[in-house]
Structure formats: C-alpha cells, structure tokens
Amino acid sequence: MRFPLGEAIVDIIVDDDDFSMPVSDFFPDRDPELIKKHRGVLEPDFLDLATGMARFAIQSFVLRTATMTILIDSCLGEGKDRPEIPVWHQRRGSGFLDRLRRAGVDPASIDLVFCTHLHIDHVGWNTQSENGRWVPSFPNARYLFGRNELNDWLDQLRTGRALPLHARGLEDSVIPIVEAGRADLVDDGYELGPGLRLLPLPGHTRGQMGVAVDFAQARALFCGDAVHNPLQIYQPGLSTGTCVDPKVGGETRHKIFAEAADNGRLLVPAHFRGQRCAHIHAAGDSYEPVFDVRPGES
Ligand SMILES: [Zn+2]
C-alpha cells in the first residue's frame, strides 16, 4: 500500500495485519457509549464487538524523499523468542522483506531506520539472525534511537525492572545495533532531513518520539503508539493498559489532535488497520477521525 506525501511517497509494509487484544484488557477506561455511537466507523477494521476484540496492524512506513529513504518502526522480525505472545514466538516465513522489495525498496537502500519507541513490535526487523548472531537487517542504514528512550530501557534492564518480553526485545533487536556501532542517539527536535523533525510523544513509553513532516505541500505526523485505535480520537484521555503514564499519554493526544486539526496534519499511527492514517476534525471538546486518504497499490 502506498500514499503520496507532497513530493515524497510512503509505502506501508505490513508484518501482521490482524493482531487482536481483548478491548476490556487493552482499553480498561473506554467509554462504552462512545463505542456504541461510533460503531459504524470502528467496525470492522478497528473493533469486533461480537468477540470483544480490538484489532491492530503491525506495520512499517517507508518514507522516500528526493534524497533519502527512511523506515519508521521495524515491526516484529523473525526467529525471535517471544514465548509470552505465542503468535509472535519464533515466527518464520512472514514475507516482510519480500513485501518491502516488491514495493521497490531494497533493504540495502534504506538510509535511516527510526524506532518511535523500543517495544518489541517496533524494533524486530532491526536485526536478523546470521550464523547464530543478530546482525543489522538494513546493511547501510544508521539506526536512530531516542536517547531518553534507550537510556530508560537500558536502566530498566540493568536494574531487573524490564519485563522478560521487553528485555528479550532489547537483547536481540536493539543492543546488537548499538554494539555494531550503527546506532545514533537522538533528541527531541532532531532533523532527519529537510522538513523532517522528531517530536516528543511521551505517555505510552517515557521517551517515545514521532516524525513530524512539514513539506511545502503536505504535513503529517508518524505518531507511533501515541494513538493505537481511532477510539482514542473520540476519547483522547483514553490510554491503554500498557501505557507507562496514562495521564501524560492523554495530554500528548490532546496536543497532537489539536495541532493536527488546526493545521490539516495527517496522523499516521503505527497500528491503524483500514486506511492506516487519518486527518483530525475538532468536534466540541473532542475530535473525530476523517479517513480521506486511501492508500493505493504499491
Ligand atoms: Zn506498538
């Protein structure tokens, strides 16, 4: 799938298009009335009310400008130990790198890999196994990690506070990149290229950042897991059960929705299914998604 962004193009490379979690676990503070009211928008792509499941895609966005190719979030990877999530444990044959090539993107042509945050579904394809070692999957890329995000996770790892699932992701998909000398630690405001700047999006993790795109003809924000599901556009204060600071997550959403509504900025969250991205309209104290971008064939 592909959509234009000014003179750049964005290819959406899906690694898992139907990952489900019980709505009651994932969004413990959801407003059932809002779900009922907006059911026509939320079903079937984002919620399945009959089974009580919230539905997500795990996907990368490849942004190609005149001068560079940037892969944003690297999904799940293959061959990795994830016993806590059986469908992601020791996965094989996902076809992810083939889909990337079919979209016209050779892994060797990627200049930058940026991980919005360091959860396992955003770092997996950073590395692949070669002779029993984890080596970079994108041989010519620099990998950008948020300095605060990486330091927070390394601190959790050192002090034994990281959950085993997260610890494994760091050990097989992040630390090998640092040890190979391929990581650049970056801060809020860092410019990836002309019109491309990192924006802090705390709440889901402490150091999450997004990529704000400000081209002459297009504005967008690749906002990672600041938003998981359009339900949170109707209810911006709604964080997930996995967010480290639910209150700050709500503040982040209010801020990015207000700015997106004012400036016509397209939001590109990491896990939206359906049309994958949305414009935002202000609606009283809240907001509404407008799905007016329809990705076409790559
Ligand atoms: Zn995620």
Side-chain angles (χ1 to χ4, degrees), residues 62-85:
V62 180
L63 175 65
R64 277 184 279 182
T65 71
T67 55
M68 61 203 308
T69 300
I70 304 167
L71 183 139
I72 300 170
D73 284 334
S74 63
C75 300
L76 298 166
E78 288 189 359
K80 300 196 164 172
D81 282 327
R82 306 286 186 254
E84 295 85 353
I85 304 180

Side-chain angles (χ1 to χ4, degrees), residues 18-74:
D18 199 359
F19 181 68
S20 297
M21 298 271 284
V23 190
S24 53
D25 293 349
F26 202 70
F27 291 118
D29 302 320
R30 71 204 174 284
D31 178 345
E33 289 305 313
L34 281 177
I35 292 180
K36 223 181 281 172
K37 185 172 170 195
H38 299 292
R39 180 175 185 167
V41 174
L42 296 169
E43 286 196 313
D45 288 327
F46 307 105
L47 286 181
D48 182 341
L49 293 180
T51 58
M53 301 300 266
R55 304 178 74 192
F56 308 97
I58 316 293
Q59 57 207 342
S60 294
F61 300 96
V62 180
L63 175 65
R64 277 184 279 182
T65 71
T67 55
M68 61 203 308
T69 300
I70 304 167
L71 183 139
I72 300 170
D73 284 334
S74 63

Side-chain angles (χ1 to χ4, degrees), residues 110-288:
I110 291 176
D111 301 300
L112 293 176
V113 175
F114 172 64
C115 301
T116 57
H117 62 294
L118 301 182
H119 280 163
I120 54 162
D121 53 322
H122 297 259
V123 300
W125 281 107
N126 284 357
T127 58
Q128 53 190 346
S129 179
E130 195 177 280
N131 303 320
R133 291 180 55 236
W134 295 109
V135 302
S137 304
F138 307 107
N140 297 311
R142 299 297 303 175
Y143 288 68
L144 306 181
F145 300 139
R147 189 186 315 276
N148 292 340
E149 179 75 0
L150 181 66
N151 286 343
D152 180 50
W153 283 110
L154 292 181
D155 189 51
Q156 291 189 48
L157 199 58
R158 260 193 306 268
T159 55
R161 288 177 297 124
L163 294 174
L165 181 66
H166 295 148
R168 273 190 277 273
L170 296 169
E171 283 160 0
D172 57 36
S173 303
V174 176
I175 291 171
I177 297 294
V178 176
E179 288 180 344
R182 306 298 290 279
D184 291 327
L185 303 192
V186 289
D187 301 295
D188 304 346
Y190 177 85
E191 290 198 13
L192 291 76
L196 300 169
R197 184 176 44 88
L198 297 183
L199 187 76
L201 299 171
H204 181 58
T205 63
R206 287 185 185 82
Q208 178 173 243
M209 289 191 284
V211 180
V213 178
D214 287 279
F215 295 153
Q217 309 89 345
R219 286 183 171 150
L221 176 62
F222 293 88
C223 61
D225 286 4
V227 190
H228 283 81
N229 190 290
L231 179 54
Q232 294 167 288
I233 300 173
Y234 299 115
Q235 188 184 346
L238 180 64
S239 285
T240 77
T242 67
C243 292
V244 69
D245 192 329
K247 185 169 172 289
V248 168
E251 290 164 6
T252 291
R253 272 185 298 283
H254 272 290
K255 211 181 289 181
I256 64 175
F257 293 162
E259 197 274 346
D262 281 351
N263 293 320
R265 188 180 298 277
L266 182 69
L267 285 194
V268 192
H271 297 307
F272 274 21
R273 300 177 72 252
Q275 292 176 231
R276 318 281 159 173
C277 53
H279 283 103
I280 304 294
H281 273 193
D285 291 343
S286 190
Y287 301 90
E288 289 177 348

